[in-house]
Amino acid sequence: MNAPTVRIEQVGEQIDVFLHGELTLDTAPTARDALFKAIAQRAPTARHIRVNLAAVERIDTSGLAILVETLLQARESKLRLCLQQVGTNTMQWLQLARLDSVFEIDA
């Protein structure tokens, strides 16, 4: 188990969240808490949240669920959420679950 580390940077209208490690049943709650905290504690000027997945080593359905929950939370908070630098394994999971059409995904 490789618990995720989360780095959050906020500048103006943009919140950048960098996830590193695994998003699995055992580790997803840590990432969920950090993502929800980033949304809850955002500056009033924030309009966009970018979740960088370049360093996600492994993901499972629990990790996907966290991403969906974060998308819903972002929408409730009037934020646009975008996934960035999605690795091959993560993209395969998103496609398998047909979530690649639900999320805005940047290369």
Side-chain angles (χ1 to χ4, degrees), residues 11-77:
V11 178
E13 294 185 347
Q14 190 68 49
I15 304 167
D16 290 313
V17 179
F18 299 87
L19 296 175
H20 182 276
E22 297 180 1
L23 291 178
T24 60
L25 177 63
D26 295 328
T27 64
T30 301
R32 179 189 182 279
D33 291 347
L35 288 163
F36 276 40
K37 183 176 181 180
I39 292 170
Q41 294 182 349
R42 72 189 184 283
T45 57
R47 299 287 176 257
H48 310 284
I49 182 167
R50 297 185 302 194
V51 180
N52 187 304
L53 302 173
V56 171
E57 299 162 0
R58 200 174 104 196
I59 192 167
D60 65 11
T61 54
S62 297
L64 292 178
I66 296 308
L67 295 176
V68 171
E69 287 180 48
T70 303
L71 177 63
L72 296 174
Q73 184 69 28
R75 286 180 178 170
E76 284 180 19
S77 300

Side-chain angles (χ1 to χ4, degrees), residues 64 83 86 90-100 105:
L64 292 178
L83 303 180
V86 179
T90 302
M91 182 59 83
Q92 289 173 340
W93 275 94
L94 288 166
Q95 290 169 339
L96 181 65
R98 301 184 191 266
L99 292 172
D100 56 320
I105 301 174

